[in-house]
PDB file of all heavy atoms in Angstrom:
ATOM      1  N   VAL E   9     122.963  69.880 127.294  1.00 38.00           N
ATOM      2  CA  VAL E   9     123.043  70.615 126.026  1.00 38.00           C
ATOM      3  C   VAL E   9     121.666  70.682 125.373  1.00 38.00           C
ATOM      4  O   VAL E   9     121.233  71.735 124.895  1.00 38.00           O
ATOM      5  CB  VAL E   9     124.085  69.976 125.081  1.00 38.00           C
ATOM      6  CG1 VAL E   9     123.982  70.541 123.681  1.00 38.00           C
ATOM      7  CG2 VAL E   9     125.479  70.180 125.638  1.00 38.00           C
ATOM      8  N   LEU E  11     118.713  70.422 126.859  1.00 37.00           N
ATOM      9  CA  LEU E  11     117.879  71.277 127.697  1.00 37.00           C
ATOM     10  C   LEU E  11     118.203  72.750 127.445  1.00 37.00           C
ATOM     11  O   LEU E  11     117.295  73.585 127.325  1.00 37.00           O
ATOM     12  CB  LEU E  11     118.075  70.916 129.174  1.00 37.00           C
ATOM     13  CG  LEU E  11     117.167  71.633 130.168  1.00 37.00           C
ATOM     14  CD1 LEU E  11     115.715  71.282 129.900  1.00 37.00           C
ATOM     15  CD2 LEU E  11     117.542  71.248 131.587  1.00 37.00           C
ATOM     16  N   ALA E  18     112.932  78.388 123.220  1.00 41.00           N
ATOM     17  CA  ALA E  18     111.676  78.816 123.834  1.00 41.00           C
ATOM     18  C   ALA E  18     111.689  80.308 124.153  1.00 41.00           C
ATOM     19  O   ALA E  18     110.651  80.961 124.133  1.00 41.00           O
ATOM     20  CB  ALA E  18     111.428  78.017 125.107  1.00 41.00           C
ATOM     21  N   GLN E  34     103.921  83.528  99.592  1.00 59.00           N
ATOM     22  CA  GLN E  34     103.728  84.971  99.601  1.00 59.00           C
ATOM     23  C   GLN E  34     104.724  85.621 100.538  1.00 59.00           C
ATOM     24  O   GLN E  34     105.059  85.074 101.581  1.00 59.00           O
ATOM     25  CB  GLN E  34     102.319  85.328 100.070  1.00 59.00           C
ATOM     26  CG  GLN E  34     101.245  84.920  99.102  1.00 59.00           C
ATOM     27  CD  GLN E  34      99.875  85.365  99.590  1.00 59.00           C
ATOM     28  OE1 GLN E  34      99.700  85.747 100.736  1.00 59.00           O
ATOM     29  NE2 GLN E  34      98.903  85.313  98.708  1.00 59.00           N
ATOM     30  N   VAL E  54      97.867 108.253  84.624  1.00 95.00           N
ATOM     31  CA  VAL E  54      97.090 109.484  84.523  1.00 95.00           C
ATOM     32  C   VAL E  54      97.850 110.534  83.715  1.00 95.00           C
ATOM     33  O   VAL E  54      97.250 111.434  83.131  1.00 95.00           O
ATOM     34  CB  VAL E  54      96.724 110.017  85.926  1.00 95.00           C
ATOM     35  CG1 VAL E  54      95.975 111.335  85.854  1.00 95.00           C
ATOM     36  CG2 VAL E  54      95.897 108.983  86.676  1.00 95.00           C
ATOM     37  N   LEU E  56     100.388 112.485  85.022  1.00 94.00           N
ATOM     38  CA  LEU E  56     100.551 113.653  85.892  1.00 94.00           C
ATOM     39  C   LEU E  56     101.906 114.306  85.681  1.00 94.00           C
ATOM     40  O   LEU E  56     102.914 113.614  85.514  1.00 94.00           O
ATOM     41  CB  LEU E  56     100.423 113.248  87.361  1.00 94.00           C
ATOM     42  CG  LEU E  56      99.098 112.652  87.820  1.00 94.00           C
ATOM     43  CD1 LEU E  56      99.193 112.241  89.284  1.00 94.00           C
ATOM     44  CD2 LEU E  56      97.954 113.631  87.630  1.00 94.00           C
ATOM     45  N   THR E  57     101.917 115.614  85.690  1.00 93.00           N
ATOM     46  CA  THR E  57     103.184 116.336  85.686  1.00 93.00           C
ATOM     47  C   THR E  57     103.765 116.241  87.091  1.00 93.00           C
ATOM     48  O   THR E  57     103.068 115.846  88.038  1.00 93.00           O
ATOM     49  CB  THR E  57     102.981 117.823  85.333  1.00 93.00           C
ATOM     50  OG1 THR E  57     102.199 118.439  86.379  1.00 93.00           O
ATOM     51  CG2 THR E  57     102.284 118.010  83.990  1.00 93.00           C
ATOM     52  N   VAL E  63     101.110 117.499  94.348  1.00 96.00           N
ATOM     53  CA  VAL E  63      99.929 117.958  95.080  1.00 96.00           C
ATOM     54  C   VAL E  63      98.897 116.833  95.202  1.00 96.00           C
ATOM     55  O   VAL E  63      98.316 116.619  96.267  1.00 96.00           O
ATOM     56  CB  VAL E  63      99.295 119.187  94.374  1.00 96.00           C
ATOM     57  CG1 VAL E  63      98.027 119.634  95.084  1.00 96.00           C
ATOM     58  CG2 VAL E  63     100.290 120.329  94.292  1.00 96.00           C
ATOM     59  N   LEU E  71      93.407 110.214 101.444  1.00 96.00           N
ATOM     60  CA  LEU E  71      92.092 109.594 101.261  1.00 96.00           C
ATOM     61  C   LEU E  71      92.168 108.094 101.531  1.00 96.00           C
ATOM     62  O   LEU E  71      91.330 107.534 102.246  1.00 96.00           O
ATOM     63  CB  LEU E  71      91.572 109.838  99.838  1.00 96.00           C
ATOM     64  CG  LEU E  71      90.330 109.038  99.419  1.00 96.00           C
ATOM     65  CD1 LEU E  71      89.139 109.372 100.303  1.00 96.00           C
ATOM     66  CD2 LEU E  71      90.008 109.302  97.952  1.00 96.00           C
ATOM     67  N   ILE E  85      85.865  93.311 113.847  1.00 91.00           N
ATOM     68  CA  ILE E  85      84.646  92.535 114.125  1.00 91.00           C
ATOM     69  C   ILE E  85      84.605  91.296 113.230  1.00 91.00           C
ATOM     70  O   ILE E  85      84.280  90.198 113.681  1.00 91.00           O
ATOM     71  CB  ILE E  85      83.387  93.409 113.913  1.00 91.00           C
ATOM     72  CG1 ILE E  85      83.316  94.501 114.983  1.00 91.00           C
ATOM     73  CG2 ILE E  85      82.125  92.555 113.922  1.00 91.00           C
ATOM     74  CD1 ILE E  85      82.264  95.559 114.727  1.00 91.00           C
ATOM     75  N   GLY E  94      80.284  78.954 117.256  1.00 89.00           N
ATOM     76  CA  GLY E  94      78.897  79.224 117.640  1.00 89.00           C
ATOM     77  C   GLY E  94      78.456  80.646 117.360  1.00 89.00           C
ATOM     78  O   GLY E  94      78.003  81.349 118.262  1.00 89.00           O
ATOM     79  N   LEU E 104      76.996  93.070 109.337  1.00 94.00           N
ATOM     80  CA  LEU E 104      76.322  93.675 108.176  1.00 94.00           C
ATOM     81  C   LEU E 104      76.106  95.175 108.377  1.00 94.00           C
ATOM     82  O   LEU E 104      76.338  95.968 107.465  1.00 94.00           O
ATOM     83  CB  LEU E 104      74.976  92.991 107.917  1.00 94.00           C
ATOM     84  CG  LEU E 104      75.020  91.621 107.275  1.00 94.00           C
ATOM     85  CD1 LEU E 104      73.623  91.028 107.198  1.00 94.00           C
ATOM     86  CD2 LEU E 104      75.642  91.703 105.892  1.00 94.00           C
ATOM     87  N   LYS E 105      75.654  95.545 109.570  1.00 95.00           N
ATOM     88  CA  LYS E 105      75.427  96.964 109.878  1.00 95.00           C
ATOM     89  C   LYS E 105      76.743  97.744 109.806  1.00 95.00           C
ATOM     90  O   LYS E 105      76.800  98.843 109.254  1.00 95.00           O
ATOM     91  CB  LYS E 105      74.797  97.102 111.256  1.00 95.00           C
ATOM     92  CG  LYS E 105      74.450  98.524 111.647  1.00 95.00           C
ATOM     93  CD  LYS E 105      73.678  98.530 112.953  1.00 95.00           C
ATOM     94  CE  LYS E 105      73.382  99.851 113.538  1.00 95.00           C
ATOM     95  NZ  LYS E 105      73.147 100.965 112.738  1.00 95.00           N
ATOM     96  N   LYS E 113      80.364 105.785 104.889  1.00 96.00           N
ATOM     97  CA  LYS E 113      81.441 106.710 105.260  1.00 96.00           C
ATOM     98  C   LYS E 113      82.474 106.832 104.131  1.00 96.00           C
ATOM     99  O   LYS E 113      82.957 107.925 103.844  1.00 96.00           O
ATOM    100  CB  LYS E 113      82.128 106.253 106.555  1.00 96.00           C
ATOM    101  CG  LYS E 113      81.265 106.437 107.787  1.00 96.00           C
ATOM    102  CD  LYS E 113      81.936 105.870 109.018  1.00 96.00           C
ATOM    103  CE  LYS E 113      81.040 105.958 110.232  1.00 96.00           C
ATOM    104  NZ  LYS E 113      81.649 105.326 111.415  1.00 96.00           N
ATOM    105  N   ARG E 114      82.807 105.707 103.497  1.00 96.00           N
ATOM    106  CA  ARG E 114      83.769 105.740 102.394  1.00 96.00           C
ATOM    107  C   ARG E 114      83.202 106.485 101.196  1.00 96.00           C
ATOM    108  O   ARG E 114      83.929 107.224 100.523  1.00 96.00           O
ATOM    109  CB  ARG E 114      84.187 104.328 102.003  1.00 96.00           C
ATOM    110  CG  ARG E 114      85.129 103.709 103.015  1.00 96.00           C
ATOM    111  CD  ARG E 114      85.552 102.317 102.635  1.00 96.00           C
ATOM    112  NE  ARG E 114      86.546 101.814 103.573  1.00 96.00           N
ATOM    113  CZ  ARG E 114      86.952 100.567 103.615  1.00 96.00           C
ATOM    114  NH1 ARG E 114      86.468  99.675 102.765  1.00 96.00           N
ATOM    115  NH2 ARG E 114      87.852 100.192 104.506  1.00 96.00           N
ATOM    116  N   LYS E 116      81.080 108.917 101.354  1.00 97.00           N
ATOM    117  CA  LYS E 116      81.130 110.331 101.745  1.00 97.00           C
ATOM    118  C   LYS E 116      82.551 110.884 101.555  1.00 97.00           C
ATOM    119  O   LYS E 116      82.736 111.998 101.049  1.00 97.00           O
ATOM    120  CB  LYS E 116      80.681 110.482 103.202  1.00 97.00           C
ATOM    121  CG  LYS E 116      80.577 111.904 103.659  1.00 97.00           C
ATOM    122  CD  LYS E 116      80.067 111.994 105.084  1.00 97.00           C
ATOM    123  CE  LYS E 116      80.052 113.435 105.546  1.00 97.00           C
ATOM    124  NZ  LYS E 116      79.654 113.561 106.946  1.00 97.00           N
ATOM    125  N   LEU E 117      83.555 110.090 101.949  1.00 97.00           N
ATOM    126  CA  LEU E 117      84.949 110.507 101.746  1.00 97.00           C
ATOM    127  C   LEU E 117      85.267 110.660 100.256  1.00 97.00           C
ATOM    128  O   LEU E 117      85.915 111.626  99.851  1.00 97.00           O
ATOM    129  CB  LEU E 117      85.911 109.495 102.378  1.00 97.00           C
ATOM    130  CG  LEU E 117      86.088 109.553 103.879  1.00 97.00           C
ATOM    131  CD1 LEU E 117      86.849 108.336 104.383  1.00 97.00           C
ATOM    132  CD2 LEU E 117      86.806 110.836 104.290  1.00 97.00           C
ATOM    133  N   ASP E 118      84.801 109.702  99.444  1.00 96.00           N
ATOM    134  CA  ASP E 118      85.030 109.793  97.995  1.00 96.00           C
ATOM    135  C   ASP E 118      84.449 111.080  97.427  1.00 96.00           C
ATOM    136  O   ASP E 118      85.091 111.763  96.625  1.00 96.00           O
ATOM    137  CB  ASP E 118      84.410 108.585  97.265  1.00 96.00           C
ATOM    138  CG  ASP E 118      85.257 107.334  97.379  1.00 96.00           C
ATOM    139  OD1 ASP E 118      86.493 107.453  97.568  1.00 96.00           O
ATOM    140  OD2 ASP E 118      84.682 106.228  97.268  1.00 96.00           O
ATOM    141  N   TYR E 121      86.572 114.112  98.657  1.00 97.00           N
ATOM    142  CA  TYR E 121      87.879 114.206  98.007  1.00 97.00           C
ATOM    143  C   TYR E 121      87.766 114.431  96.505  1.00 97.00           C
ATOM    144  O   TYR E 121      88.658 115.016  95.904  1.00 97.00           O
ATOM    145  CB  TYR E 121      88.745 112.983  98.331  1.00 97.00           C
ATOM    146  CG  TYR E 121      89.458 113.167  99.644  1.00 97.00           C
ATOM    147  CD1 TYR E 121      88.799 112.966 100.857  1.00 97.00           C
ATOM    148  CD2 TYR E 121      90.777 113.587  99.695  1.00 97.00           C
ATOM    149  CE1 TYR E 121      89.441 113.159 102.060  1.00 97.00           C
ATOM    150  CE2 TYR E 121      91.438 113.782 100.890  1.00 97.00           C
ATOM    151  CZ  TYR E 121      90.758 113.566 102.071  1.00 97.00           C
ATOM    152  OH  TYR E 121      91.402 113.772 103.275  1.00 97.00           O
ATOM    153  N   LYS E 126      89.131 117.825  91.913  1.00 97.00           N
ATOM    154  CA  LYS E 126      88.717 118.690  90.794  1.00 97.00           C
ATOM    155  C   LYS E 126      89.494 120.004  90.775  1.00 97.00           C
ATOM    156  O   LYS E 126      89.620 120.628  89.727  1.00 97.00           O
ATOM    157  CB  LYS E 126      87.217 118.990  90.876  1.00 97.00           C
ATOM    158  CG  LYS E 126      86.344 117.834  90.479  1.00 97.00           C
ATOM    159  CD  LYS E 126      84.871 118.231  90.603  1.00 97.00           C
ATOM    160  CE  LYS E 126      83.942 117.106  90.243  1.00 97.00           C
ATOM    161  NZ  LYS E 126      82.522 117.497  90.415  1.00 97.00           N
ATOM    162  N   LYS E 127      90.019 120.406  91.910  1.00 96.00           N
ATOM    163  CA  LYS E 127      90.801 121.644  91.980  1.00 96.00           C
ATOM    164  C   LYS E 127      92.223 121.436  91.466  1.00 96.00           C
ATOM    165  O   LYS E 127      92.933 122.403  91.201  1.00 96.00           O
ATOM    166  CB  LYS E 127      90.833 122.166  93.417  1.00 96.00           C
ATOM    167  CG  LYS E 127      89.470 122.597  93.927  1.00 96.00           C
ATOM    168  CD  LYS E 127      89.517 122.994  95.384  1.00 96.00           C
ATOM    169  CE  LYS E 127      88.104 123.333  95.865  1.00 96.00           C
ATOM    170  NZ  LYS E 127      88.072 123.588  97.299  1.00 96.00           N
ATOM    171  N   LEU E 129      93.093 118.373  89.220  1.00 96.00           N
ATOM    172  CA  LEU E 129      93.101 117.634  87.965  1.00 96.00           C
ATOM    173  C   LEU E 129      91.896 117.969  87.105  1.00 96.00           C
ATOM    174  O   LEU E 129      90.878 118.449  87.607  1.00 96.00           O
ATOM    175  CB  LEU E 129      93.090 116.120  88.245  1.00 96.00           C
ATOM    176  CG  LEU E 129      94.174 115.553  89.158  1.00 96.00           C
ATOM    177  CD1 LEU E 129      93.936 114.066  89.382  1.00 96.00           C
ATOM    178  CD2 LEU E 129      95.550 115.790  88.595  1.00 96.00           C
ATOM    179  N   THR E 130      92.008 117.645  85.816  1.00 96.00           N
ATOM    180  CA  THR E 130      90.867 117.778  84.909  1.00 96.00           C
ATOM    181  C   THR E 130      89.937 116.588  85.129  1.00 96.00           C
ATOM    182  O   THR E 130      90.332 115.570  85.729  1.00 96.00           O
ATOM    183  CB  THR E 130      91.327 117.791  83.436  1.00 96.00           C
ATOM    184  OG1 THR E 130      91.887 116.503  83.126  1.00 96.00           O
ATOM    185  CG2 THR E 130      92.355 118.893  83.176  1.00 96.00           C
ATOM    186  N   ILE E 134      90.821 112.672  86.296  1.00 97.00           N
ATOM    187  CA  ILE E 134      90.165 112.010  87.425  1.00 97.00           C
ATOM    188  C   ILE E 134      89.605 110.658  86.983  1.00 97.00           C
ATOM    189  O   ILE E 134      89.749 109.658  87.696  1.00 97.00           O
ATOM    190  CB  ILE E 134      89.063 112.905  88.044  1.00 97.00           C
ATOM    191  CG1 ILE E 134      89.712 114.127  88.707  1.00 97.00           C
ATOM    192  CG2 ILE E 134      88.225 112.107  89.055  1.00 97.00           C
ATOM    193  CD1 ILE E 134      88.740 115.187  89.169  1.00 97.00           C
ATOM    194  N   ILE E 135      89.008 110.614  85.808  1.00 97.00           N
ATOM    195  CA  ILE E 135      88.488 109.352  85.274  1.00 97.00           C
ATOM    196  C   ILE E 135      89.649 108.371  85.067  1.00 97.00           C
ATOM    197  O   ILE E 135      89.551 107.192  85.423  1.00 97.00           O
ATOM    198  CB  ILE E 135      87.718 109.571  83.953  1.00 97.00           C
ATOM    199  CG1 ILE E 135      86.470 110.433  84.187  1.00 97.00           C
ATOM    200  CG2 ILE E 135      87.360 108.244  83.297  1.00 97.00           C
ATOM    201  CD1 ILE E 135      85.422 109.823  85.086  1.00 97.00           C
ATOM    202  N   GLN E 138      90.749 107.027  88.459  1.00 95.00           N
ATOM    203  CA  GLN E 138      89.843 106.011  88.991  1.00 95.00           C
ATOM    204  C   GLN E 138      90.055 104.657  88.305  1.00 95.00           C
ATOM    205  O   GLN E 138      90.057 103.620  88.964  1.00 95.00           O
ATOM    206  CB  GLN E 138      88.386 106.480  88.860  1.00 95.00           C
ATOM    207  CG  GLN E 138      88.068 107.648  89.778  1.00 95.00           C
ATOM    208  CD  GLN E 138      86.718 108.294  89.491  1.00 95.00           C
ATOM    209  OE1 GLN E 138      86.158 108.161  88.400  1.00 95.00           O
ATOM    210  NE2 GLN E 138      86.197 109.012  90.483  1.00 95.00           N
ATOM    211  N   PHE E 145      94.973  97.735  91.553  1.00 90.00           N
ATOM    212  CA  PHE E 145      94.544  96.790  92.583  1.00 90.00           C
ATOM    213  C   PHE E 145      94.330  95.399  91.989  1.00 90.00           C
ATOM    214  O   PHE E 145      94.733  94.403  92.579  1.00 90.00           O
ATOM    215  CB  PHE E 145      93.272  97.279  93.275  1.00 90.00           C
ATOM    216  CG  PHE E 145      92.847  96.395  94.399  1.00 90.00           C
ATOM    217  CD1 PHE E 145      93.545  96.376  95.597  1.00 90.00           C
ATOM    218  CD2 PHE E 145      91.766  95.542  94.261  1.00 90.00           C
ATOM    219  CE1 PHE E 145      93.176  95.538  96.637  1.00 90.00           C
ATOM    220  CE2 PHE E 145      91.385  94.703  95.293  1.00 90.00           C
ATOM    221  CZ  PHE E 145      92.085  94.703  96.485  1.00 90.00           C
ATOM    222  N   ASP E 146      93.716  95.335  90.810  1.00 92.00           N
ATOM    223  CA  ASP E 146      93.514  94.037  90.143  1.00 92.00           C
ATOM    224  C   ASP E 146      94.847  93.349  89.867  1.00 92.00           C
ATOM    225  O   ASP E 146      95.003  92.145  90.113  1.00 92.00           O
ATOM    226  CB  ASP E 146      92.736  94.203  88.835  1.00 92.00           C
ATOM    227  CG  ASP E 146      91.280  94.592  89.057  1.00 92.00           C
ATOM    228  OD1 ASP E 146      90.791  94.458  90.211  1.00 92.00           O
ATOM    229  OD2 ASP E 146      90.628  95.031  88.089  1.00 92.00           O
TER     230      ASP E 146
END
Side-chain angles (χ1 to χ4, degrees):
V9 168
L11 186 62
Q34 292 183 346
V54 177
L56 298 177
T57 65
V63 177
L71 169 61
I85 292 170
L104 285 175
K105 183 173 174 33
K113 289 175 184 176
R114 286 180 175 170
K116 185 177 177 184
L117 282 169
D118 282 334
Y121 276 79
K126 286 180 181 178
K127 295 175 184 174
L129 306 176
T130 66
I134 293 171
I135 296 296
Q138 291 170 339
F145 184 73
D146 290 345

